[in-house]
Amino acid sequence: TQRQRRRLPVGPALAMAAPAPPAKKQRTDDDAGDDEQPADTPMADEAPAAAEKTPAPAAPEPPKELEEDAAACSKPRNAEPVVFHVQDTTMNILPSTSNNLLMSLTDGGIQHLLAGARANVGVTKGRYMFEVKVIEYVNVPEPTTARQNTPPKSVLRIGLATSSSHLFLGESAESICFDAHSGDLVHNKQRSRVSYKLNVQQGSVFAVVVNLEQGHPNQKTISLFKDGMRVSQPQALPESLIGKALFPTVSFKNVTTCVHFGPEPLTPLPFRCRMVQDATKTDVTLTKEEKPADGKYEVLFPVGLPDEGTFDWLDTFLEKNPKYTELSDRMILDWAEKSGIWRPRGFGMGTRSNRDKPEMNFGIRELDDDSIRKALLTIAPLQKRHYVAMEVRSNLLQDDRKSLLSRFAHPMFKKMAYVVVGEPPADYKKLVQQKLLQRKQEQSDRMFELQKLERQRKRQLEKLMKQQEKEKRRAEREAKKKAAEEAKKAAAEAEAAKKAAEAAQGAESADGEKKEGDEEAAEGKAEEEKKEKEEEEKAEEDDEEMEEAEEEEPEETPPKAELTDEEKKIVFYPSDVKDLTPLALSSSFTKFSLPEKAEGFDDIKYEWLKSAKCAEYLKKWILDRKLTSRVEELKPSQWFHQRLIEWQKESQQWKTKQNEYRLAFQKKTMEREARKRVRQIQQQAKAAEQAKKREGELEGKEGDAPEEAEDPQKQKDKEAEEADAAEEEAEAEAKATFESVDIFGVESVLDIGTGAPLFKDFQHEDWMMMGLTVELNLLAHAFRHDVEDPDRIGIHVDHLPFYYKKYFSRDLRPKDYGVESIVDLVGLIADGSVYLTEKQVLATQLAPEMESYSVFVKITEEARRYRSLRIDMGEESAMLKIPPPVAPQHKPHGGKGGGKHRGGQWNQSRQHQQHQQQQAPPPPQVAAVPVVAQLTPPQAKLVPPPAALPQPPQPPQQSQQHKGGGGWQSSYGKSSYQSKGGGGGKGGFQPYGGKAGGKDSKGGGKGWRWY
């Protein structure tokens, strides 16, 4: 129609393009001047005549159709029917038995994927067409999950593709198509608008014309028609398709189509064009359906170890054998990407946790819950195709292999296993080396470009700085020149004034001298100007030399990358994404096995190694993985929990015993010191009394002085001193005995024979080290007991934190022991009871069953003494860097005020009470020493027994019943325990310094103050 023709865009650089309108003449200053001339000038008179000669612009004519009716041809026609072979269609297409009616499946998630079909006849010469009729639209419910970039509900693409292209038009350089819904021309994922948005309806007929006639104006073009009318100008074919056979291809979604190849069109075009079915035999090429000689289609099961080239082998195999259809999760992802389905994180390898079973994460239920995979496995056995069932983990597990084999039980399938295990052949290694070199070259090129850009940036910066310096020097010269000119001007004015003053004196001799002076001044001025000009020229020459010195950096080529000796030894291409997740690998690798014919295979082929060597390789691989892989499903047994409880109970008893021993020793020492102090005070008091008596004697008496009676207290003091000395001597002997005792000969660690436990000198770091030794020893035995696998000889050092947390429910942090790594942590146990083997596996020399854990006390004491000896010798590296224990932090809770009601309530937390008891343990009780009344003169300064010291008042257990009494609220002060008061009013009991009460009920009456 005329309206469609007006809206029809023009294609790129073709013969039938409309002529361009005449270019406007650019307006110049001369033209502007001519416009300003008066009307009576001759040019003004000629203007109307010129206007009459200029024709009025005509409306642009519609593009002329350059396609003409096809000439009659008597050459032999193609006798083969143009159809779609199964191998040239996607799995979701259901072709009809006649008329090339194509429809796609609409359930199980397949409705979201594109369908594609390629005809068996390709055009190489001439001009031919084919048609696509829309039979129906399939109503498919939209996904309930809100998504961005939602793909169109229905898609219809019509175009051409090579025989080696995949079936999704426009997604590669091997195909080109028209998008019937958007009016775009699509090639290699690039879109260009060539038509208005078409109204695709049921019954619409689209025709594609490909023109490959030599010498035709539209040679090597493709055109689109709708219902017999042109909707696209001829579009040039890309270079990647020139000279190749072009096969009619359609890609669609949720549309049922009928692809018509002739011989007569469904809807005639404005010109007569032969259809593909009516093509000359020499103008087309045929692809034959590949039917197996024995009538059986192959289903291949690649069996390879994770991360050992299975996917690389498959890619090489499919490149050589494109007739096989891959069945795998990565194929589904690739299909979804080509179908335009949006995925939040994209489709790159970096968005996948593994290659075997990558997460879908589309936000579409049928795609995310594995429904689409089940649907494809249901369809596959119904179609006559060659398949490759690619699943790394499932193909290594016997049960999974049997389950998948059962789907292809039909006699038309030949089930084959391809075992790619072991040392690959030389051609595979060469391919890996090429990929490694290519990746390294790409990394080198990127680094080279970055360095090149950095050099350019620095060079531009230097050039800018030089330019600024040049401008600065030029400005300085201009300023200097301007100043010189102003000085000359001022001098000239002064000279003119001087001359005017001397003009009154008219002597002839003076005139002659003046003339000579003027000449000399003119010569000096000329020389000065010449010198300034030379200086300016020299400065400009210097600037020019600097600019010439700035040579462009020579063009460099990126360095050629080479593989190192270590890289040349790489056998399998290292991928950033592993084939299996750690959980999937650790939970199944012990069950990996090689396929056998008894499972249902018709044939088994060993690609790299023979059968026996493959089995040996797999066995060694499993043993190595048992040492380096985690057992995710492992759970601590009752055996472990029972021994852990025994250890915790016994260690707590030892700590209690150590505290009791230390308190008893401190109490005995303090009592002895108190007795010494009392005796010292008593002796001082007695000496003072005797001295006073001697001074009070008024006169001496003749003869011998009467002998003084023996003092019984003195005898008691002497006996007490001897007892204390004997006690100190016994303690010294006990200390010497402890230091010389045979540690491993001690029968009981609770008493080595002197009443002292073997662990009496343990500090925080000793208890920490003993606990670590016991836990690692227990962990090593529990792992071997619970895993129930003789091939797992222990825990690898890399997985030690994982198993430690699984068994002890807390993290194993090396920094808690003053080291940086797990290896250093195990190395702290210098006695060798727990150690790492050459394969970095945790091992222990102690038996799993023992009556008591006292051996760990002996081991720890031995290590403590040896460490102390090394430290005394000045070896600082022997010191443990275990941080001290951190006191528990808590927030004290205050009590509620009494207010107007009777009595507040105590709200001191139990945690705070415990903290006070830990932070301020009660002093040891010292027995009161009786003081003789006769030895207490006024001058004596007696010390009351500790029991007589005033004690701070303790808070009552129940709330006070006084009116307005506040609750007891404790909090820490800067130097002592202080508290805010309870509720306002008098009589509130407030220990540790309460404040006076007020209106806001912050405090009651003043309370006690301690310290």
Side-chain angles (χ1 to χ4, degrees), residues 1-9 196 229-231:
T1 63
Q2 186 67 22
R3 180 180 180 184
Q4 290 176 335
R5 290 176 181 175
R6 287 199 301 268
R7 296 175 57 187
L8 188 64
Y196 52 86
M229 301 296 297
R230 177 182 287 277
V231 294

Side-chain angles (χ1 to χ4, degrees), residues 486-507:
E486 291 179 354
K488 289 179 183 179
K489 184 177 180 180
E493 292 176 355
E495 184 68 20
K498 182 179 179 182
K499 291 179 180 180
E502 294 176 353
Q505 301 175 0

